[in-house]
Amino acid sequence: MNKNHWIKIIAVIIGAVLVWSVLSSQSNDLPKELKDKWQAVFLDDGQVYFGRLENYNRSYVSLKNVYYLKVASDLQTSSSNLNLIRLGGEAHGPEGEMFINKDKVSFIENLKNDSTVVKAIQSSLR
């Protein structure tokens, strides 16, 4: 083998090591602004889930203590109310934790401790 062939092999190896080091150094940790707070996770289909966000891997986020809003309509008065529902009581029997594809998340908001949603969640946990 000639000198140029070895240079190409070494360049490929160095490139592979650099790519691997960049990919492996990407952290799965959430920004500190998200820790120990309740979040609203808005999905690209318009659904919103509330809970405590944690990373799971590069493709998914884990949402624990999950709640969502459900519209309850009164047919006699044509009015509707929003109810905060805790994930877990549905017919299919989910365990209360969701793994959401990160590609489906439009945005995430931290909720204030005095928000209506957080107060409702905290009162349901008592």
Side-chain angles (χ1 to χ4, degrees):
M1 289 191 207
N2 63 25
K3 184 177 178 181
N4 286 335
H5 184 70
W6 282 109
I7 291 175
K8 289 178 185 178
I9 290 174
I10 292 171
V12 168
I13 291 171
I14 290 172
V17 168
L18 287 174
V19 168
W20 177 82
S21 67
V22 168
L23 291 176
S24 66
S25 70
Q26 293 177 351
S27 173
N28 284 336
D29 292 335
L30 290 171
K32 64 183 178 180
E33 294 83 15
L34 294 177
K35 293 186 180 200
D36 300 323
K37 294 186 180 188
W38 292 96
Q39 285 84 34
V41 179
F42 294 80
L43 304 183
D44 61 5
D45 65 357
Q47 181 67 46
V48 181
Y49 292 98
F50 306 98
R52 295 204 185 262
L53 195 62
E54 298 180 8
N55 271 5
Y56 183 69
N57 62 35
R58 284 181 175 80
S59 300
Y60 293 90
V61 293
S62 171
L63 189 64
K64 294 187 176 190
N65 297 317
V66 180
Y67 292 80
Y68 59 93
L69 296 172
K70 183 175 181 180
V71 177
S73 298
D74 183 350
L75 297 175
Q76 293 180 345
T77 64
S78 297
S79 66
S80 61
N81 295 317
L82 286 176
N83 295 320
L84 190 65
I85 308 296
R86 185 171 187 161
L87 184 71
E90 296 78 8
H92 61 286
E95 293 183 347
E97 181 176 9
M98 296 178 75
F99 299 95
I100 304 168
N101 187 325
K102 287 182 179 178
D103 293 341
K104 301 297 180 185
V105 175
S106 294
F107 60 97
I108 299 165
E109 293 179 335
N110 280 333
L111 302 177
K112 295 179 182 178
N113 289 333
D114 63 349
S115 75
T116 304
V117 169
V118 172
K119 286 180 181 179
I121 290 172
Q122 289 172 338
S123 69
S124 77
L125 294 174
R126 291 183 193 141

